Amino acid sequence: MNKPAIKILSIAVLLCFSAVLSAAPEDASKAATPTAGKAWAYTTPTQPTVPVVKQKAWVRTPVDAFVLAKLEEKGLKPSPDADRATFIRRATLDTWGLIPTPEEVKAFVNDKSPDAYEKLADRLLSSPHYGERQARRWLDLARYADSAGFQNDTTRPNNFRYRDYVINSFNADKPFDRFTREQLAGDEIWPDSQEAKIATGFLAGYPDNSNSRDLVQRKYQIATDMTDLVGETFLAATVGCARCHNHKADKVTQKEYFQLQAYFANTSFDEKAPAAKGEGELAYEKQQNAYREATKDIRAQQKAILDTVRAVAVKYHKERYLTDSREAIFKPETEWNAMDRWVNFRLKSVSSEQDVVAYLKLTAEDKDTPDYKPENVEKWKQYQKLTADLKKFDKLRPEKGSLTLTTATELGHPDAPPTFVRFGGVHERPTDEVQPALPVLWAGANAKLEIKPTATSSGRRTALANWLASPDNPLTARVFVNRVWSQYFANGIVGTVADFGRAGQKPTHPELLDYLATDFVKQGWSVKKLHREILLSSVYRQSSGQRDDVLKVDPDNKLLAVYPRKRLEAEEIRDSLLAASGQLEDKIGGPAVFPPVPSNFNAGNLWTPSKDPAEQNRRSVYVFVRRSVPYPLMQSFDLADPSHAHHKRDVTTTPLQALTLFNSDVVFGWSQALAGRVIREAGKDESAQINRLYEILFARVPNKNEKAALKDFLDKEEKIILAKNAQGKFEIAVPSGLKENQQVNPVRAAAFVDLVHAVANSNDFAYRF
């Protein structure tokens, strides 16, 4: 480590030490008191008066008046409308995450009816693609992944159900207050609803280490994850800072943090709850039964071997847990308290037949261990042989799917384990016990919510969910509409979408934020109505052309006199390339899929491409999210990190991005398919082909200079290919998917593929304007 790094590390250590000192029990026990002058974010929003502006004709929705009022204060005028082709490409990418087809562009451009924009907005919002795109945003926050992380990164085979729940919720325009309640307490509020149970997968998305030998500490870590998640996602509060010490910026004490955590004290997760059997489940069950029937004898022989050591193996496994875990594990069930129930349910959830297998292997192979048993050597050899025989039937196993779902549960009891303030946030240093309550900063005098336990549940999460979804909550609506605004305008009205506290940025248009928040609630928490109002606004319709007068007065474009350009996100790039190539598979929902990866990827069994080519070409929201092995094609474009709530995609520019797209065999294959599509649709005329290529990718035709440059590229590329032929290196990639009777010059066609590949890798494609 060099000297500057040591200096930085030393400062960090001093800051942490200072924070721990500030977290002494006597300080942590002091709760914050309400103050008369609350920050704007923590006051209940009231619907503001729409400003009176001079340029009244520009105001299409109230949103415009709030933006225009700020512009007029600075002597700026808004930009003219973007042309219709640019607008439909922008709107389709923002709502669907896909580029529009040339036919959709043409229909909108030629629609002279006075409600053309309204019809476009309604068409975009009514498509299933809308839910797929909006779900991706929420899944980022929910730290969604199809695997658990940590060393083994085991697959979570039923997590797709939560992803599909989110997609369906946005498509059905489920009221956001209901959406909130379901995800925090669906199992408590609607115990007979499978959908509501699946919704609690929001809380269950934490990275998980099933090998942890301290189950009590693991409970604390899971409760911490849920607490931080709810604070960040719904309230844009960096409440996690208060776990180790009183918050340095916002008035949240360490005691208040653990009072908030107490709402989750009785929460467990059942990852193997039975799911209702639909078409997919019945197909899975049929395949599973076929495998079980074919392997019945082998598995019976394996079980017989394991049964000879099972009792001692289970005891050995339980003894490997740490002291406080063992106290609960070896206690008679009749004496269990709430914590004991949690520990033993967790033990049951993470234990498997493999624990017995591991014991048999240890006692047969490790002669240095005191547990070595010579009589197990032959048993282990027989078991290994049977395992090898069993692998021969792997092709009969169901490739994907599940008969189970993951749901939160309170294990059928209303009493909850105690929650303690932890000195310095350290699990091993509990101090005072606390009861559920909200930070005074958020809730004022109403910090202690009314909790109504049921016969099978503590009711704590229900109380918290109802408060979060209350119209009187000062934060939930504000935070969500700010996220949606950020989606359309690259930045939120509050630029720090994850932090509405004192350390965050101040809102550029506070009245606009309160208008959107109060109207959102007034409109029944309808997410689609919120999106529609933004889509139909003049501020969203503006051109993104650079303006010197705006750069001089508002260089960061905070006042939105110009529409902000934005690079496409990883999923938008992949999905739009697939759509352009004509290979995008439109199937909605279902288990995650594995697209092909480079041959040198070396992920082993962690990434096996789906057998069905159609499955490989599904939208990116359905691509398997493995925490330890991100899908490489999208990783270069700032993919969300599923280890924590991901609030806003980064936008970096690196050489690796260009190299990823340009050198990818998969992307080149899409370019071949796109070239074939262009030739099929445009015919033999090269000028028409270039026009069609631009219409597909950019929703416009090339200008004279672009067309001349592209034709020159074709000529030069054709000569390069011919020169390679003269050198004995004649390898060409021609367009794919041509009609049987379509004759093309293979060399010229190969040059055209290279042209398509280059154009698809341009900034004009990777950005929306």
Side-chain angles (χ1 to χ4, degrees), residues 397-427:
R397 288 179 180 270
E399 184 181 351
K400 59 184 180 179
S402 171
L403 297 176
T404 61
L405 59 86
T406 294
T407 179
T409 174
E410 303 227 340
L411 304 180
H413 292 266
D415 58 318
T419 300
F420 299 95
V421 176
R422 308 279 175 172
F423 181 82
V426 178
H427 158 64

PDB file of all heavy atoms in Angstrom, residues 397-427:
ATOM      1  N   ARG A 397     -33.620 -34.204 -15.244  1.00  0.00           N
ATOM      2  CA  ARG A 397     -34.025 -33.210 -14.243  1.00  0.00           C
ATOM      3  C   ARG A 397     -34.750 -32.035 -14.905  1.00  0.00           C
ATOM      4  O   ARG A 397     -34.427 -31.677 -16.038  1.00  0.00           O
ATOM      5  CB  ARG A 397     -32.798 -32.662 -13.497  1.00  0.00           C
ATOM      6  CG  ARG A 397     -32.145 -33.618 -12.524  1.00  0.00           C
ATOM      7  CD  ARG A 397     -30.950 -32.934 -11.897  1.00  0.00           C
ATOM      8  NE  ARG A 397     -30.258 -33.779 -10.932  1.00  0.00           N
ATOM      9  CZ  ARG A 397     -30.556 -33.829  -9.628  1.00  0.00           C
ATOM     10  NH1 ARG A 397     -31.554 -33.089  -9.153  1.00  0.00           N
ATOM     11  NH2 ARG A 397     -29.880 -34.608  -8.819  1.00  0.00           N
ATOM     12  N   PRO A 398     -35.689 -31.416 -14.219  1.00  0.00           N
ATOM     13  CA  PRO A 398     -36.297 -30.194 -14.751  1.00  0.00           C
ATOM     14  C   PRO A 398     -35.217 -29.119 -14.932  1.00  0.00           C
ATOM     15  O   PRO A 398     -34.408 -28.901 -14.018  1.00  0.00           O
ATOM     16  CB  PRO A 398     -37.304 -29.782 -13.676  1.00  0.00           C
ATOM     17  CG  PRO A 398     -37.560 -31.027 -12.888  1.00  0.00           C
ATOM     18  CD  PRO A 398     -36.287 -31.815 -12.931  1.00  0.00           C
ATOM     19  N   GLU A 399     -35.175 -28.505 -16.094  1.00  0.00           N
ATOM     20  CA  GLU A 399     -34.131 -27.509 -16.364  1.00  0.00           C
ATOM     21  C   GLU A 399     -34.387 -26.212 -15.608  1.00  0.00           C
ATOM     22  O   GLU A 399     -33.454 -25.505 -15.235  1.00  0.00           O
ATOM     23  CB  GLU A 399     -34.069 -27.218 -17.872  1.00  0.00           C
ATOM     24  CG  GLU A 399     -32.947 -26.272 -18.265  1.00  0.00           C
ATOM     25  CD  GLU A 399     -32.928 -25.977 -19.756  1.00  0.00           C
ATOM     26  OE1 GLU A 399     -33.676 -26.626 -20.505  1.00  0.00           O
ATOM     27  OE2 GLU A 399     -32.180 -25.075 -20.169  1.00  0.00           O
ATOM     28  N   LYS A 400     -35.646 -25.894 -15.362  1.00  0.00           N
ATOM     29  CA  LYS A 400     -35.988 -24.627 -14.708  1.00  0.00           C
ATOM     30  C   LYS A 400     -37.352 -24.774 -14.053  1.00  0.00           C
ATOM     31  O   LYS A 400     -38.096 -25.715 -14.318  1.00  0.00           O
ATOM     32  CB  LYS A 400     -36.024 -23.503 -15.741  1.00  0.00           C
ATOM     33  CG  LYS A 400     -37.024 -23.748 -16.856  1.00  0.00           C
ATOM     34  CD  LYS A 400     -36.988 -22.680 -17.915  1.00  0.00           C
ATOM     35  CE  LYS A 400     -38.014 -22.980 -19.007  1.00  0.00           C
ATOM     36  NZ  LYS A 400     -38.033 -21.945 -20.042  1.00  0.00           N
ATOM     37  N   GLY A 401     -37.662 -23.823 -13.183  1.00  0.00           N
ATOM     38  CA  GLY A 401     -38.956 -23.818 -12.540  1.00  0.00           C
ATOM     39  C   GLY A 401     -38.878 -24.251 -11.093  1.00  0.00           C
ATOM     40  O   GLY A 401     -37.806 -24.544 -10.545  1.00  0.00           O
ATOM     41  N   SER A 402     -40.043 -24.311 -10.450  1.00  0.00           N
ATOM     42  CA  SER A 402     -40.099 -24.630  -9.031  1.00  0.00           C
ATOM     43  C   SER A 402     -41.535 -24.926  -8.632  1.00  0.00           C
ATOM     44  O   SER A 402     -42.482 -24.469  -9.288  1.00  0.00           O
ATOM     45  CB  SER A 402     -39.573 -23.434  -8.225  1.00  0.00           C
ATOM     46  OG  SER A 402     -39.802 -23.602  -6.853  1.00  0.00           O
ATOM     47  N   LEU A 403     -41.684 -25.685  -7.580  1.00  0.00           N
ATOM     48  CA  LEU A 403     -43.009 -25.948  -7.010  1.00  0.00           C
ATOM     49  C   LEU A 403     -43.223 -25.162  -5.722  1.00  0.00           C
ATOM     50  O   LEU A 403     -44.213 -25.370  -5.020  1.00  0.00           O
ATOM     51  CB  LEU A 403     -43.171 -27.445  -6.716  1.00  0.00           C
ATOM     52  CG  LEU A 403     -43.117 -28.389  -7.924  1.00  0.00           C
ATOM     53  CD1 LEU A 403     -43.201 -29.832  -7.482  1.00  0.00           C
ATOM     54  CD2 LEU A 403     -44.246 -28.067  -8.900  1.00  0.00           C
ATOM     55  N   THR A 404     -42.298 -24.246  -5.426  1.00  0.00           N
ATOM     56  CA  THR A 404     -42.357 -23.518  -4.159  1.00  0.00           C
ATOM     57  C   THR A 404     -42.329 -22.013  -4.387  1.00  0.00           C
ATOM     58  O   THR A 404     -42.101 -21.537  -5.498  1.00  0.00           O
ATOM     59  CB  THR A 404     -41.162 -23.905  -3.272  1.00  0.00           C
ATOM     60  OG1 THR A 404     -39.944 -23.539  -3.947  1.00  0.00           O
ATOM     61  CG2 THR A 404     -41.156 -25.394  -2.972  1.00  0.00           C
ATOM     62  N   LEU A 405     -42.544 -21.283  -3.317  1.00  0.00           N
ATOM     63  CA  LEU A 405     -42.413 -19.837  -3.328  1.00  0.00           C
ATOM     64  C   LEU A 405     -41.738 -19.408  -2.038  1.00  0.00           C
ATOM     65  O   LEU A 405     -41.686 -20.159  -1.062  1.00  0.00           O
ATOM     66  CB  LEU A 405     -43.769 -19.146  -3.501  1.00  0.00           C
ATOM     67  CG  LEU A 405     -44.864 -19.430  -2.460  1.00  0.00           C
ATOM     68  CD1 LEU A 405     -44.756 -18.498  -1.252  1.00  0.00           C
ATOM     69  CD2 LEU A 405     -46.243 -19.274  -3.094  1.00  0.00           C
ATOM     70  N   THR A 406     -41.201 -18.208  -2.033  1.00  0.00           N
ATOM     71  CA  THR A 406     -40.585 -17.640  -0.838  1.00  0.00           C
ATOM     72  C   THR A 406     -41.527 -16.614  -0.230  1.00  0.00           C
ATOM     73  O   THR A 406     -42.041 -15.747  -0.944  1.00  0.00           O
ATOM     74  CB  THR A 406     -39.238 -16.987  -1.174  1.00  0.00           C
ATOM     75  OG1 THR A 406     -38.313 -17.993  -1.579  1.00  0.00           O
ATOM     76  CG2 THR A 406     -38.669 -16.249   0.033  1.00  0.00           C
ATOM     77  N   THR A 407     -41.754 -16.706   1.055  1.00  0.00           N
ATOM     78  CA  THR A 407     -42.633 -15.760   1.732  1.00  0.00           C
ATOM     79  C   THR A 407     -42.115 -15.447   3.125  1.00  0.00           C
ATOM     80  O   THR A 407     -41.473 -16.287   3.774  1.00  0.00           O
ATOM     81  CB  THR A 407     -44.068 -16.316   1.836  1.00  0.00           C
ATOM     82  OG1 THR A 407     -44.893 -15.370   2.528  1.00  0.00           O
ATOM     83  CG2 THR A 407     -44.110 -17.635   2.581  1.00  0.00           C
ATOM     84  N   ALA A 408     -42.412 -14.237   3.585  1.00  0.00           N
ATOM     85  CA  ALA A 408     -42.152 -13.907   4.983  1.00  0.00           C
ATOM     86  C   ALA A 408     -43.144 -14.668   5.855  1.00  0.00           C
ATOM     87  O   ALA A 408     -44.256 -14.991   5.428  1.00  0.00           O
ATOM     88  CB  ALA A 408     -42.285 -12.407   5.212  1.00  0.00           C
ATOM     89  N   THR A 409     -42.737 -14.952   7.061  1.00  0.00           N
ATOM     90  CA  THR A 409     -43.608 -15.663   8.002  1.00  0.00           C
ATOM     91  C   THR A 409     -43.208 -15.278   9.415  1.00  0.00           C
ATOM     92  O   THR A 409     -42.052 -14.934   9.673  1.00  0.00           O
ATOM     93  CB  THR A 409     -43.495 -17.189   7.830  1.00  0.00           C
ATOM     94  OG1 THR A 409     -44.249 -17.840   8.857  1.00  0.00           O
ATOM     95  CG2 THR A 409     -42.063 -17.662   7.921  1.00  0.00           C
ATOM     96  N   GLU A 410     -44.172 -15.325  10.327  1.00  0.00           N
ATOM     97  CA  GLU A 410     -43.872 -15.085  11.744  1.00  0.00           C
ATOM     98  C   GLU A 410     -44.041 -16.372  12.542  1.00  0.00           C
ATOM     99  O   GLU A 410     -44.240 -16.347  13.757  1.00  0.00           O
ATOM    100  CB  GLU A 410     -44.723 -13.937  12.270  1.00  0.00           C
ATOM    101  CG  GLU A 410     -44.525 -12.658  11.460  1.00  0.00           C
ATOM    102  CD  GLU A 410     -44.301 -11.412  12.291  1.00  0.00           C
ATOM    103  OE1 GLU A 410     -44.666 -11.421  13.474  1.00  0.00           O
ATOM    104  OE2 GLU A 410     -43.750 -10.435  11.747  1.00  0.00           O
ATOM    105  N   LEU A 411     -43.975 -17.488  11.821  1.00  0.00           N
ATOM    106  CA  LEU A 411     -43.918 -18.826  12.415  1.00  0.00           C
ATOM    107  C   LEU A 411     -45.127 -19.145  13.289  1.00  0.00           C
ATOM    108  O   LEU A 411     -45.041 -19.973  14.200  1.00  0.00           O
ATOM    109  CB  LEU A 411     -42.620 -18.995  13.223  1.00  0.00           C
ATOM    110  CG  LEU A 411     -41.321 -18.745  12.433  1.00  0.00           C
ATOM    111  CD1 LEU A 411     -40.116 -18.948  13.330  1.00  0.00           C
ATOM    112  CD2 LEU A 411     -41.254 -19.658  11.221  1.00  0.00           C
ATOM    113  N   GLY A 412     -46.241 -18.466  12.995  1.00  0.00           N
ATOM    114  CA  GLY A 412     -47.481 -18.818  13.667  1.00  0.00           C
ATOM    115  C   GLY A 412     -47.609 -18.324  15.088  1.00  0.00           C
ATOM    116  O   GLY A 412     -48.458 -18.820  15.850  1.00  0.00           O
ATOM    117  N   HIS A 413     -46.803 -17.337  15.488  1.00  0.00           N
ATOM    118  CA  HIS A 413     -46.842 -16.840  16.868  1.00  0.00           C
ATOM    119  C   HIS A 413     -46.809 -15.303  16.873  1.00  0.00           C
ATOM    120  O   HIS A 413     -46.144 -14.680  16.043  1.00  0.00           O
ATOM    121  CB  HIS A 413     -45.656 -17.373  17.671  1.00  0.00           C
ATOM    122  CG  HIS A 413     -45.714 -18.838  17.924  1.00  0.00           C
ATOM    123  ND1 HIS A 413     -46.254 -19.385  19.068  1.00  0.00           N
ATOM    124  CD2 HIS A 413     -45.307 -19.894  17.165  1.00  0.00           C
ATOM    125  CE1 HIS A 413     -46.174 -20.704  19.016  1.00  0.00           C
ATOM    126  NE2 HIS A 413     -45.595 -21.041  17.864  1.00  0.00           N
ATOM    127  N   PRO A 414     -47.484 -14.679  17.839  1.00  0.00           N
ATOM    128  CA  PRO A 414     -47.493 -13.213  17.899  1.00  0.00           C
ATOM    129  C   PRO A 414     -46.344 -12.610  18.696  1.00  0.00           C
ATOM    130  O   PRO A 414     -46.051 -11.417  18.555  1.00  0.00           O
ATOM    131  CB  PRO A 414     -48.827 -12.914  18.589  1.00  0.00           C
ATOM    132  CG  PRO A 414     -49.062 -14.093  19.481  1.00  0.00           C
ATOM    133  CD  PRO A 414     -48.476 -15.277  18.758  1.00  0.00           C
ATOM    134  N   ASP A 415     -45.684 -13.404  19.550  1.00  0.00           N
ATOM    135  CA  ASP A 415     -44.621 -12.840  20.384  1.00  0.00           C
ATOM    136  C   ASP A 415     -43.319 -12.784  19.599  1.00  0.00           C
ATOM    137  O   ASP A 415     -43.000 -13.685  18.824  1.00  0.00           O
ATOM    138  CB  ASP A 415     -44.446 -13.641  21.671  1.00  0.00           C
ATOM    139  CG  ASP A 415     -44.127 -15.106  21.401  1.00  0.00           C
ATOM    140  OD1 ASP A 415     -44.756 -15.679  20.481  1.00  0.00           O
ATOM    141  OD2 ASP A 415     -43.255 -15.677  22.089  1.00  0.00           O
ATOM    142  N   ALA A 416     -42.555 -11.714  19.818  1.00  0.00           N
ATOM    143  CA  ALA A 416     -41.346 -11.466  19.032  1.00  0.00           C
ATOM    144  C   ALA A 416     -40.105 -11.539  19.909  1.00  0.00           C
ATOM    145  O   ALA A 416     -40.148 -11.218  21.102  1.00  0.00           O
ATOM    146  CB  ALA A 416     -41.430 -10.094  18.376  1.00  0.00           C
ATOM    147  N   PRO A 417     -38.978 -11.945  19.326  1.00  0.00           N
ATOM    148  CA  PRO A 417     -37.717 -11.897  20.066  1.00  0.00           C
ATOM    149  C   PRO A 417     -37.395 -10.458  20.471  1.00  0.00           C
ATOM    150  O   PRO A 417     -37.796  -9.508  19.791  1.00  0.00           O
ATOM    151  CB  PRO A 417     -36.690 -12.426  19.058  1.00  0.00           C
ATOM    152  CG  PRO A 417     -37.487 -13.205  18.064  1.00  0.00           C
ATOM    153  CD  PRO A 417     -38.807 -12.504  17.979  1.00  0.00           C
ATOM    154  N   PRO A 418     -36.673 -10.273  21.553  1.00  0.00           N
ATOM    155  CA  PRO A 418     -36.340  -8.899  21.972  1.00  0.00           C
ATOM    156  C   PRO A 418     -35.354  -8.245  21.012  1.00  0.00           C
ATOM    157  O   PRO A 418     -34.570  -8.917  20.341  1.00  0.00           O
ATOM    158  CB  PRO A 418     -35.707  -9.108  23.354  1.00  0.00           C
ATOM    159  CG  PRO A 418     -35.177 -10.502  23.330  1.00  0.00           C
ATOM    160  CD  PRO A 418     -36.118 -11.285  22.465  1.00  0.00           C
ATOM    161  N   THR A 419     -35.421  -6.917  20.956  1.00  0.00           N
ATOM    162  CA  THR A 419     -34.486  -6.130  20.160  1.00  0.00           C
ATOM    163  C   THR A 419     -33.701  -5.231  21.104  1.00  0.00           C
ATOM    164  O   THR A 419     -34.287  -4.576  21.977  1.00  0.00           O
ATOM    165  CB  THR A 419     -35.224  -5.262  19.125  1.00  0.00           C
ATOM    166  OG1 THR A 419     -35.968  -6.120  18.248  1.00  0.00           O
ATOM    167  CG2 THR A 419     -34.246  -4.434  18.305  1.00  0.00           C
ATOM    168  N   PHE A 420     -32.390  -5.211  20.919  1.00  0.00           N
ATOM    169  CA  PHE A 420     -31.521  -4.425  21.787  1.00  0.00           C
ATOM    170  C   PHE A 420     -30.758  -3.387  20.975  1.00  0.00           C
ATOM    171  O   PHE A 420     -30.429  -3.606  19.801  1.00  0.00           O
ATOM    172  CB  PHE A 420     -30.507  -5.323  22.502  1.00  0.00           C
ATOM    173  CG  PHE A 420     -31.128  -6.363  23.399  1.00  0.00           C
ATOM    174  CD1 PHE A 420     -31.368  -7.651  22.932  1.00  0.00           C
ATOM    175  CD2 PHE A 420     -31.469  -6.055  24.707  1.00  0.00           C
ATOM    176  CE1 PHE A 420     -31.931  -8.614  23.741  1.00  0.00           C
ATOM    177  CE2 PHE A 420     -32.034  -7.011  25.528  1.00  0.00           C
ATOM    178  CZ  PHE A 420     -32.282  -8.288  25.054  1.00  0.00           C
ATOM    179  N   VAL A 421     -30.455  -2.254  21.624  1.00  0.00           N
ATOM    180  CA  VAL A 421     -29.452  -1.351  21.074  1.00  0.00           C
ATOM    181  C   VAL A 421     -28.109  -2.075  21.150  1.00  0.00           C
ATOM    182  O   VAL A 421     -27.814  -2.748  22.140  1.00  0.00           O
ATOM    183  CB  VAL A 421     -29.400  -0.036  21.891  1.00  0.00           C
ATOM    184  CG1 VAL A 421     -28.274   0.863  21.376  1.00  0.00           C
ATOM    185  CG2 VAL A 421     -30.733   0.687  21.828  1.00  0.00           C
ATOM    186  N   ARG A 422     -27.328  -1.965  20.090  1.00  0.00           N
ATOM    187  CA  ARG A 422     -26.011  -2.636  20.053  1.00  0.00           C
ATOM    188  C   ARG A 422     -24.912  -1.585  20.122  1.00  0.00           C
ATOM    189  O   ARG A 422     -24.857  -0.681  19.263  1.00  0.00           O
ATOM    190  CB  ARG A 422     -25.869  -3.447  18.770  1.00  0.00           C
ATOM    191  CG  ARG A 422     -27.024  -4.409  18.514  1.00  0.00           C
ATOM    192  CD  ARG A 422     -26.890  -5.690  19.284  1.00  0.00           C
ATOM    193  NE  ARG A 422     -28.073  -6.547  19.122  1.00  0.00           N
ATOM    194  CZ  ARG A 422     -28.170  -7.787  19.555  1.00  0.00           C
ATOM    195  NH1 ARG A 422     -27.140  -8.341  20.168  1.00  0.00           N
ATOM    196  NH2 ARG A 422     -29.274  -8.481  19.399  1.00  0.00           N
ATOM    197  N   PHE A 423     -24.077  -1.675  21.096  1.00  0.00           N
ATOM    198  CA  PHE A 423     -22.989  -0.714  21.239  1.00  0.00           C
ATOM    199  C   PHE A 423     -22.116  -0.734  19.986  1.00  0.00           C
ATOM    200  O   PHE A 423     -21.565  -1.767  19.608  1.00  0.00           O
ATOM    201  CB  PHE A 423     -22.148  -1.049  22.475  1.00  0.00           C
ATOM    202  CG  PHE A 423     -21.015  -0.090  22.704  1.00  0.00           C
ATOM    203  CD1 PHE A 423     -21.226   1.125  23.338  1.00  0.00           C
ATOM    204  CD2 PHE A 423     -19.740  -0.390  22.262  1.00  0.00           C
ATOM    205  CE1 PHE A 423     -20.191   2.017  23.541  1.00  0.00           C
ATOM    206  CE2 PHE A 423     -18.686   0.495  22.451  1.00  0.00           C
ATOM    207  CZ  PHE A 423     -18.921   1.708  23.090  1.00  0.00           C
ATOM    208  N   GLY A 424     -22.001   0.415  19.351  1.00  0.00           N
ATOM    209  CA  GLY A 424     -21.205   0.507  18.125  1.00  0.00           C
ATOM    210  C   GLY A 424     -21.742  -0.334  16.995  1.00  0.00           C
ATOM    211  O   GLY A 424     -21.037  -0.590  16.025  1.00  0.00           O
ATOM    212  N   GLY A 425     -23.002  -0.785  17.119  1.00  0.00           N
ATOM    213  CA  GLY A 425     -23.584  -1.636  16.089  1.00  0.00           C
ATOM    214  C   GLY A 425     -23.091  -3.061  16.136  1.00  0.00           C
ATOM    215  O   GLY A 425     -23.418  -3.867  15.261  1.00  0.00           O
ATOM    216  N   VAL A 426     -22.327  -3.411  17.171  1.00  0.00           N
ATOM    217  CA  VAL A 426     -21.711  -4.737  17.261  1.00  0.00           C
ATOM    218  C   VAL A 426     -22.705  -5.720  17.852  1.00  0.00           C
ATOM    219  O   VAL A 426     -23.232  -5.503  18.958  1.00  0.00           O
ATOM    220  CB  VAL A 426     -20.433  -4.694  18.124  1.00  0.00           C
ATOM    221  CG1 VAL A 426     -19.817  -6.084  18.249  1.00  0.00           C
ATOM    222  CG2 VAL A 426     -19.435  -3.714  17.523  1.00  0.00           C
ATOM    223  N   HIS A 427     -22.935  -6.799  17.144  1.00  0.00           N
ATOM    224  CA  HIS A 427     -23.912  -7.802  17.559  1.00  0.00           C
ATOM    225  C   HIS A 427     -23.638  -8.329  18.961  1.00  0.00           C
ATOM    226  O   HIS A 427     -24.563  -8.536  19.766  1.00  0.00           O
ATOM    227  CB  HIS A 427     -23.905  -8.946  16.538  1.00  0.00           C
ATOM    228  CG  HIS A 427     -24.435 -10.235  17.062  1.00  0.00           C
ATOM    229  ND1 HIS A 427     -25.743 -10.398  17.478  1.00  0.00           N
ATOM    230  CD2 HIS A 427     -23.824 -11.444  17.268  1.00  0.00           C
ATOM    231  CE1 HIS A 427     -25.924 -11.640  17.885  1.00  0.00           C
ATOM    232  NE2 HIS A 427     -24.781 -12.296  17.770  1.00  0.00           N
TER     233      HIS A 427
END
